[in-house]
Amino acid sequence: MSKNLVLIAGIGGASLGTELAKCLRGISTYDVFGCDVSPLAYGLYDDAFVDTFVVARVGYVDAVLDLCTKLKIQVVIPGAEEPAVLLSAAAGRFEARGIKVAANSTAVTRLCADKIDTFAFLERAGFATPKSTVPATAGAIALKGPVIVKPATGSGGSSHVFYAPSATEA
């Protein structure tokens, strides 16, 4: 029986990419490979993968596509937010080579990559969301403390997340 060959693109932190690998490694029908742009990425050294690779940040989509072709990968799974945005937008290029991108549509991926846009969408749909704002300047925090300060896009999980007990500290 031949195995399904899967590449998880984005295995930098001990988060989504490596957690996906842990889930798949227990299934005997999968061989799981991983890649990341950083040679120091946590997942490169995780034994959940058959093998791991460092790919170029510049020309990322081409680098991942070339790696998939070389390894005869059947499915590529984004393992982080930035790979999800880039790979979902290029899904047609992968599919033209017979490689499935296991990701949401480009529109959904872009929406969810921006926390302010996501919260606005959820509010319009009737869901309760945390009060959120993007201040015009660093000194224009309109919320009363304590607050959580986090970039609206591309924060890398819990990176660059700060607790501020007051608007002044935020």
Side-chain angles (χ1 to χ4, degrees):
M1 170 163 55
S2 65
K3 297 214 178 190
N4 297 296
L5 304 181
V6 176
L7 175 73
I8 299 175
I11 54 172
S15 58
L16 180 61
T18 53
E19 293 303 313
L20 289 167
K22 286 178 191 175
C23 292
L24 293 174
R25 78 173 167 195
I27 303 170
S28 63
T29 57
Y30 290 101
D31 274 345
V32 183
F33 298 83
C35 69
D36 203 273
V37 297
S38 172
L40 301 176
Y42 173 85
L44 294 174
Y45 309 98
D46 189 323
D47 65 2
F49 298 98
V50 171
D51 204 354
T52 59
F53 305 87
V54 176
V55 294
R57 179 179 295 279
V58 176
Y60 179 78
V61 169
D62 290 328
V64 173
L65 187 54
D66 291 345
L67 181 60
C68 287
T69 302
K70 175 183 162 192
L71 297 174
K72 297 183 171 51
I73 295 295
Q74 297 156 307
V75 178
V76 61
I77 304 172
E81 185 176 307
E82 190 171 0
V85 171
L86 296 170
L87 297 174
S88 71
R93 293 179 59 201
F94 285 82
E95 289 171 10
R97 292 200 194 173
I99 303 162
K100 175 72 178 151
V101 176
N104 286 311
S105 70
T106 301
V108 169
T109 302
R110 285 193 180 150
L111 171 68
C112 293
D114 186 306
K115 291 154 195 69
I116 294 296
D117 289 348
T118 301
F119 288 160
F121 175 86
L122 291 171
E123 282 179 12
R124 288 191 304 273
F127 291 91
T129 63
K131 186 171 181 180
S132 303
T133 186
V134 176
T137 65
I141 303 290
L143 302 173
K144 293 182 180 181
V147 298
I148 302 297
V149 180
K150 180 176 183 171
T153 60
S155 68
S158 60
S159 298
H160 310 293
V161 177
F162 302 95
Y163 170 79
S166 68
T168 302
E169 190 168 327

